[in-house]
């Protein structure tokens, strides 16, 4: 859970790539408990996340939207 997200954050920072997390309800709850310093970059919506990303950054969808 949270350890995996912080690992992704570390790898992205090391590679110098921008990324944002758009959490669902369960992940938002996890972040409220574990990420009290708000160190993981989050956005409320995909549109908000995309608006903060550099236009030079390629987009990568890690998890498909549930049906």
């Amino acid at each position: 859970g949270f350890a995996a997200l912080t690992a992704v954050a570390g790898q992205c920072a090391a590679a110098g790539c921008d990324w944002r997390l758009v959490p669902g309800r369960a992940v938002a709850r996890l972040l409220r408990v574990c990420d009290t310093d708000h160190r993981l970059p989050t956005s409320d919506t995909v549109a908000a996340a995309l608006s903060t990303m550099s236009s030079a950054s390629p987009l990568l969808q890690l998890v498909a939207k549930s049906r």
Side-chain angles (χ1 to χ4, degrees), residues 10-52:
Q11 292 294 319
C12 288
C17 67
D18 292 335
W19 76 289
R20 302 290 295 181
L21 176 65
V22 182
R25 190 179 341 179
V27 174
R29 182 175 183 208
L30 173 75
L31 295 177
R32 278 194 305 277
V33 172
C34 297
D35 190 27
T36 57
D37 295 335
H38 305 286
R39 291 189 284 164
L40 294 177
T42 62
S43 293
D44 292 330
T45 66
V46 172
L50 291 175
S51 72
T52 65

